[in-house]
Amino acid sequence: MTTQYAIQIVGKDLIEINPAMEIPDLGPTQILLEIEACGICFSDTKLMHAFDNHPRKTPIIGGLTPAELAQIPTYRPGTDPVVPGHEPAGRVIKVGEDVSRYAPGERVLIQTDYRHLPTAGSNGAFGYGFDGGLEQYALVDMRMIIDPVTDESCLIPLGEEPSRSSVALIEPWACVETAYATEERRRIKDGGALLVFIEPGFQPQGLEEVIAGSGHGLRLDCSAYEQIPDEDAFDDIIYVGANADTVEQLSQHLNKQGLMNIVTCGETFDRDVEIDAGRIHYDLIRYAGTTSSNAADGYLSIPRTYDLRESEHLAVIGAGGPMGLMHTVRAAVLGVPGIRIDAVDVDNDRLASLAHVIGPIADTQQVPIRVVNSNLTELESGVYTYVSLMVPAADLLQQAVGLARRGAILNAFAGFAIGTKAALDLNRILGDHLYLVGTSGSRIADMVTVLRRLEAGVVDTNISLDAVCGIAGVPAAIESVNNRSSQGKIVVYPHLHNLELVRLVDMGERYPEVAAAMDGTRWTKQAEEVLLKTGGNSG
């Protein structure tokens, strides 16, 4: 066994099937995985469109030296062709001589975000700058998958019971978990870079108390914005004033995970302020603030976490898509007392599919869920305590502000491209203590959380599955995800070389024996086993 079937992105919007890709030899710190299944993600289309300009495909700049990276044969930065796929399930089949943590035969859930290996604009990741899961066999290196600080591993052991597809679908469900389970910073970053910018005539209170104990000196800058060097970036900016131009300019100086605390001292902005929605999602920047004169009030307005709260009235905008379904199901099964959910979309077919999935869950959990076509039914303004946005459209983020009631959380889960500007009403956001959040990717802890829920029967990740295919069906699968015609997730079985894309609703026509093992139109482990024995692999 020296070659394999694989998918490669070879340039911008250029994807190829390689029927004889070389399986690399193992080094002493490396592991060869058999890919049991791999999901298709909308982010795969972003990689295809951007290719070497994608921030996760740019070269690694920390964590490993260039010489160490050169020892990893599947490292594919820049214009090197790369195997996409970052939603894989795998099994260890071979290990290098220095690997003692894993053994052949062990089944693993694969976390693919290497946060300890930064690129200039993001993190290194399996399926971006390293060959991913849309191949039969994948090589990883212990130096890639082990965080040297926490000793956490990106290969998470699991048993034999879960189906291949349900394990491959854990990663997107974990992204949803991360979107709610992350804790927020509610004070100035210790040892970080701080800017205090006070507009002329404004007299804030509490600055010394806010800064005390953070290791900062107080930096006041009351002069023109142009005097701040372009290269300066800050973990915290305390802005005292109400000038929209200044907020927009200062925002460019926020570090990743930076926080701007806006203190208006009772004044109001004379127009909406343009915020980079992509940076909220990918760079995790945050805006907080207060209409009072006390800088401490801005930090007090930040929620400790942005998980769902008791008696939440949640709107999921774009609920009919694959990720929207996951958000809706998670909210329904989480056990939050008094929660109500409005699942909102504009596509009747998607809404019908969602209602078919979510109806029995809502009945079992006794959670009121309303499925709403917002083209036909206008959503009521100012009533939602939580809005989760699945669609990367600036006008919908603006609409979310109007839908929210006082104290609401606005979760910009949608993958806005960095540079996507949304003109937001900061007077409303600050005055009504609305809080805008966003996350990207998943964490190991959240993947374990979803795995435990799957193993306990709390959630079946397969309910989000719409179609399956082998290597031959990947181009059609990517196109389906790209044009948003898929009504759920798509899982690829790389060892089924010739299996074209098959929607579950059409399985009875294409593979009656497989359909007979399904639960109606829902995918099962039994159906998967029949497909693996009979489906599409003639070569």
Side-chain angles (χ1 to χ4, degrees):
M1 182 181 65
T2 59
T3 63
Q4 62 174 325
Y5 280 76
I7 296 292
Q8 289 181 294
I9 298 176
V10 299
K12 290 183 179 180
D13 294 317
L14 296 174
I15 187 168
E16 293 181 355
I17 297 174
N18 187 341
M21 182 173 170
E22 183 179 353
I23 300 173
D25 294 329
L26 284 188
T29 60
Q30 292 164 2
I31 300 170
L32 188 65
L33 301 169
E34 178 184 20
I35 301 299
E36 294 187 332
C38 185
I40 299 287
C41 177
F42 189 73
S43 294
D44 294 323
T45 70
K46 295 179 183 179
L47 172 62
M48 186 174 68
H49 297 326
F51 193 50
D52 56 314
N53 288 326
H54 194 288
R56 289 183 183 270
K57 200 176 186 305
T58 55
I60 301 294
I61 59 173
L64 290 175
T65 67
E68 289 172 322
L69 289 165
Q71 295 169 359
I72 303 174
T74 56
Y75 176 50
R76 314 288 191 189
T79 58
D80 290 351
V82 68
V83 176
H86 57 274
E87 299 179 358
R91 188 180 296 273
V92 177
I93 61 170
K94 190 176 181 182
V95 300
E97 59 189 37
D98 292 343
V99 177
S100 59
R101 195 158 175 167
Y102 297 95
E106 190 168 10
R107 199 171 183 220
V108 290
L109 167 62
I110 305 169
Q111 213 281 349
T112 58
D113 190 1
Y114 306 140
R115 300 185 180 216
H116 61 290
L117 299 178
T119 67
S122 185
N123 308 312
F126 183 88
Y128 290 89
F130 297 91
D131 279 342
L134 290 177
E135 57 183 344
Q136 292 176 272
Y137 302 96
L139 180 145
V140 296
D141 193 292
M142 293 294 286
R143 294 168 291 185
M144 294 161 52
I145 65 172
I146 304 294
D147 187 311
V149 175
T150 66
D151 199 44
E152 286 187 307
S153 173
C154 291
L155 297 186
I156 304 166
L158 71 148
E160 297 294 331
E161 182 58 30
S163 67
R164 297 181 178 204
S165 58
S166 65
V167 176
L169 290 168
I170 285 176
E171 198 280 336
W173 282 81
C175 290
V176 174
E177 186 67 22
T178 301
Y180 295 94
T182 304
E183 293 185 357
E184 288 292 90
R185 176 161 63 87
R186 305 179 75 232
R187 63 189 300 274
I188 291 174
K189 181 178 179 180
D190 289 339
L194 167 68
L195 169 67
V196 178
F197 192 107
I198 305 175
E199 297 280 10
F202 283 77
Q203 297 183 343
Q205 301 173 358
L207 284 177
E208 289 79 7
E209 291 82 357
V210 165
I211 295 168
S214 66
H216 291 283
L218 178 61
R219 172 174 175 176
L220 300 177
D221 195 329
C222 303
S223 57
Y225 166 80
E226 288 76 10
Q227 295 186 16
I228 302 175
D230 290 342
E231 65 274 12
D232 278 12
F234 303 94
D235 302 296
D236 288 275
I237 297 176
I238 300 176
Y239 170 68
V240 184
N243 186 298
D245 290 340
T246 307
V247 171
E248 291 169 355
Q249 292 165 342
L250 289 176
S251 294
Q252 300 175 44
H253 292 275
L254 279 172
N255 266 331
K256 291 181 179 179
Q257 302 183 18
L259 170 63
M260 185 183 294
N261 181 11
I262 302 169
V263 184
T264 67
C265 300
E267 298 297 320
T268 57
F269 291 91
D270 63 0
R271 65 172 175 85
D272 290 345
V273 179
E274 288 194 344
I275 299 300
D276 189 334
R279 292 206 66 203
I280 289 172
H281 178 81
Y282 286 109
D283 288 350
L284 309 183
I285 66 168
R286 299 290 186 258
Y287 295 87
T290 177
T291 57
S292 77
S293 299
N294 194 329
D297 292 343
Y299 294 102
L300 293 174
S301 71
I302 301 172
R304 295 184 184 279
T305 179
Y306 34 95
D307 211 339
L308 301 171
R309 303 159 293 188
E310 186 171 344
S311 301
E312 202 84 85
H313 190 182
L314 167 67
V316 181
I317 309 298
M323 303 308 295
L325 181 147
M326 296 179 205
H327 279 258
T328 306
V329 170
R330 180 189 185 273
V333 304
L334 201 60
V336 177
I339 192 171
R340 293 176 291 158
I341 305 170
D342 283 359
V344 182
D345 209 291
V346 295
D347 187 304
N348 281 330
D349 290 339
R350 284 191 168 196
L351 286 171
S353 178
L354 173 65
H356 177 73
V357 172
I358 200 66
I361 296 172
D363 292 342
T364 300
Q365 299 292 330
Q366 297 184 324
V367 173
I369 298 181
R370 186 172 67 123
V371 177
V372 183
N373 186 324
S374 55
N375 277 344
L376 303 177
T377 302
E378 185 175 354
L379 299 176
E380 188 176 353
S381 298
V383 301
Y384 294 101
T385 62
Y386 204 116
V387 181
S388 292
L389 179 61
M390 307 294 110
V391 186
D395 59 333
L396 292 181
L397 187 57
Q398 296 162 359
Q399 180 189 19
V401 174
L403 295 175
R405 66 182 295 179
R406 185 176 178 83
I409 295 174
L410 310 179
N411 195 324
F413 180 83
F416 290 90
I418 289 180
T420 302
K421 298 297 180 66
L424 302 181
D425 183 355
L426 282 193
N427 295 321
R428 173 92 204 289
I429 290 173
L430 299 179
D432 283 347
H433 302 293
L434 310 182
Y435 193 62
L436 181 59
V437 301
T439 58
S440 175
S442 63
R443 303 173 304 183
I444 293 172
D446 298 317
M447 295 192 78
V448 172
T449 294
V450 177
L451 174 60
R452 299 297 174 249
R453 288 179 186 157
L454 173 66
E455 292 172 331
V458 174
V459 66
D460 177 8
T461 56
N462 276 330
I463 64 175
S464 60
L465 187 62
D466 179 66
V468 297
C469 70
I471 290 292
V474 170
I478 295 246
E479 178 59 26
S480 178
V481 171
N482 188 49
N483 63 28
R484 299 182 187 273
S485 62
S486 172
Q487 295 186 13
K489 294 292 294 183
I490 300 172
V491 162
V492 181
Y493 296 101
H495 287 273
L496 301 183
H497 313 152
N498 299 324
L499 180 64
E500 299 288 348
L501 183 66
V502 186
R503 291 193 64 205
L504 300 187
V505 294
D506 299 326
M507 190 64 70
E509 299 176 10
R510 299 281 299 278
Y511 296 95
E513 188 177 353
V514 176
M518 292 170 59
D519 180 8
T521 58
R522 184 174 297 182
W523 196 239
T524 63
K525 182 178 181 180
Q526 292 74 25
E528 178 178 88
E529 290 172 347
V530 175
L531 179 68
L532 291 171
K533 291 178 181 177
T534 64
N537 188 6
S538 61

